[in-house]
């Protein structure tokens, strides 16, 4: 909102490959509860990064804090060369960070196509007067948005359901629609919150394909997930949280062997 | 989307033709004057319906904008500060500014808290209109509002106002229908179902709430402006609590999810009221208004039990009933 909060990141320029996204010392507490404690890591475009951890580890809180739903208590979040920590969600979205939700949070009462069209909002400014008077420019824009949204639905394989209400979709398709809607923002970085949760095996395979395709097109990904086979197969880098603390970071092979991670998941002593 | 806006335009045009022709078919001042009220109240109900149904804002201040619009126009015209034709524009701007200034803080509230704050706003406006008698004429109302004259044409008859009110009503309908069918409308509808998801799509919720609030307030202000020239009077009792209840009934009976619900609601509620007033006289000679209220209440309860989505929800379901009937017939034929 104010320019003073948007400082340029110097950190990002010091490393070889520039990270798309970087958090340093991110902390969030709700009253006395420490939900995130001094989290730091970098996210590179080349690596699909996964954020894992047992229930209550702070994964969703992490997304909510960096995407502007919650204010961080302290720490910095660099994205697009700016510190976006504390920016409201809609401004973060405008910078090219899009997210999905664990429980889809689709716009009920709208059709599938309209949901995706809302996603086109960031790239399409329409004034209230030009919309109300339906000026030629608005007509043209509406037509373009509709076509774009339809393309995205096609890409994701939901084009045959375009005119259905979202409440009629089965869970797997609702999840995919959540991704489609986020995709419509044409983001630089996409944060998926449990995209594979509750999906059948063939749907997970479809999702994996989709993520790979988008990655090739230059989109960066951070995925929060519980489905371990999915995570191990798709990610190049894994960050593990437990009780709001980062306990490990590395490629999947390393994380699989990490004693602390095993302990966090299985509990007790090993 | 394009076919939908095309449909909207066709139906508005069709409706406009009916409105233009109706006074030629149904003779008499009574019909015209009641239809006048239908149009004016429909503008208010549309705005309220948009806020409640689409944007999820329970704003009870709507009658206040209607009153404010009437008073701004009335005072400016009665004191000869501005020619009558110019006052609706000043009204619109004035109401817009007040709604913006008030809306910015008030719209931070949600659901019932917003309802409380906006109700307080209505009560304050109403008390101010009654008490500032030097300016407003107090409870007896503001007298001396001149005839509305536009380019030498005098709006004197009910019929003149009939066309004026319906023009306003249909223009507002057209504008709002376009809006709802655009990126702006989708933004407004999106935060009603999920504010978090909406914000993460890049939608500045506070901004769009303000937009919707101010826009519908301006429309209500314009309706007030027309109304004050119609009855040549601005009086607190014309925008007090009962108007709020009437508008609520229109919105709910008409159906909250569609824009035309408010229009149908306005038609239904006003004509139902007229019907009860005219026919109850024959049966209950001594206690008309009480009986009227009781019947009104019963009818509304029945409507809400059998048509929870209002009249439009019920009308929308007719095609699917037809389809089911047809399918049943098909299967029985086999």
């Amino acid at each position: 909102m104010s320019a003073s909060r948007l400082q340029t990141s110097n950190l990002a320029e010091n490393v070889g490959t520039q990270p798309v996204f970087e958090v340093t010392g991110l902390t969030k507490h709700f009253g006395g509860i420490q939900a995130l404690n001094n989290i730091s890591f970098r996210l590179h475009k080349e690596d699909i990064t996964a954020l894992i951890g047992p229930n209550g580890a702070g994964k969703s809180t992490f997304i909510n804090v960096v995407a502007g739903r919650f204010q961080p208590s302290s720490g910095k979040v660099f994205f697009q060369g700016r510190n976006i920590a504390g920016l409201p969600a809609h401004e973060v979205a405008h910078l090219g960070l899009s997210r999905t939700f664990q429980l889809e949070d689709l716009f009920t009462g709208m059709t599938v196509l309209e949901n995706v069209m809302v996603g086109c909002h960031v790239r399409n400014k329409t004034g209230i007067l030009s919309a109300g008077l339906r000026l030629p420019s608005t007509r043209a824009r509406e037509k373009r948005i509709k076509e774009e949204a339809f393309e995205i639905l096609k890409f994701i394989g939901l084009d045959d359901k375009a005119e259905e209400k979202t409440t009629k979709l089965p869970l797997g398709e609702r999840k995919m629609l959540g991704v489609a809607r986020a995709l419509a923002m044409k983001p630089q970085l996409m944060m998926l919150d449990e995209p594979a949760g509750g999906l059948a095996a063939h749907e997970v395979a479809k999702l994996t394909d989709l993520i790979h395709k988008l990655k090739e097109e230059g989109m960066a990904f951070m995925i929060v997930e519980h489905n371990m086979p999915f995570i191990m197969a798709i990610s190049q880098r894994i960050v593990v949280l437990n009780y709001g603390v980062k306990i490990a970071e590395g490629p999947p092979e390393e994380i699989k062997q990490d004693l602390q991670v095993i302990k966090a998941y299985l509990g007790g002593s090993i | 989307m394009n076919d939908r806006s095309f449909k909207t335009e066709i139906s508005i045009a069709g409706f406009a033709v009916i409105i233009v022709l109706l006074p030629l078919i149904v003779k008499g001042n009574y019909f015209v004057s009641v239809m006048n009220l239908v149009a004016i109240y429909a503008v208010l109900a549309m705005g309220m319906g948009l806020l409640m149904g689409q944007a999820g804002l329970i704003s009870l201040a709507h009658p206040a904008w209607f009153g404010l619009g009437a008073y701004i126009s009335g005072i400016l015209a009665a004191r000869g500060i501005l020619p009558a034709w110019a006052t609706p524009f000043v009204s619109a701007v004035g109401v817009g500014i007040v709604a913006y200034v008030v809306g910015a803080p008030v719209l931070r509230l949600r659901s019932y808290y917003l309802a409380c704050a906006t109700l307080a706003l209505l009560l304050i406006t109403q008390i101010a209109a009654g008490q500032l008698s030097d300016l407003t004429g107090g409870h007896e109302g503001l007298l001396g509002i001149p005839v509305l004259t536009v380019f030498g044409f005098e709006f004197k008859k009910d019929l003149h106002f009939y066309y004026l009110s319906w023009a306003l009503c249909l223009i507002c309908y057209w504008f709002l229908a376009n809006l709802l069918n655009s990126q702006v409308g989708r933004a407004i509808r999106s935060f009603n179902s999920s504010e978090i998801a909406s914000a993460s799509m890049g939608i500045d919720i506070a901004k769009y709430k303000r937009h919707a609030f101010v826009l519908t307030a301006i429309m209500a202000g314009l309706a007030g402006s027309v109304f004050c020239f119609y009855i040549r009077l601005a009086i607190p009792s014309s925008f007090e609590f009962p108007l709020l209840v009437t508008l609520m009934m229109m919105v709910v009976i008409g159906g909250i999810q569609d824009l035309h619900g408010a229009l149908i609601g306005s038609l239904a509620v006003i004509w139902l009221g007229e019907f009860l007033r005219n026919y109850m006289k024959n049966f209950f000679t001594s206690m008309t208004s009480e009986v009227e209220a009781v019947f009104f209440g019963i009818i509304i309860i029945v409507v809400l039990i059998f048509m929870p989505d209002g009249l439009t929800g019920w009308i929308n379901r007719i095609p699917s009933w037809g389809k089911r009937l047809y399918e049943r017939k098909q299967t029985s034929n086999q």
Side-chain angles (χ1 to χ4, degrees), chain B residues 40 43 163-173 219 222-223 226:
Chain B
I40 299 266
V43 174
Y163 287 119
L164 184 64
S165 319
W166 278 102
L168 176 70
C169 178
L170 291 179
I171 289 170
C172 286
Y173 181 87
M219 287 178 176
L222 281 171
V226 171

Side-chain angles (χ1 to χ4, degrees), chain B residues 263-278:
Chain B
L263 195 60
I264 292 174
S266 178
L267 267 170
V269 169
I270 291 186
W271 279 110
L272 183 65
E274 291 301 315
F275 172 81
L276 289 176
R277 194 166 309 144
N278 293 338

Side-chain angles (χ1 to χ4, degrees), chain A residues 94 105 107 114 132 142 146, chain B residues 1 178 183 186 189 194 202:
Chain A
H94 275 275
D105 252 319
F107 304 128
E114 281 178 314
E142 280 292 308
K146 194 179 179 182
Chain B
M1 213 56 42
N178 283 342
Q183 229 17 33
R186 280 188 294 275
R189 286 188 286 155
S194 170

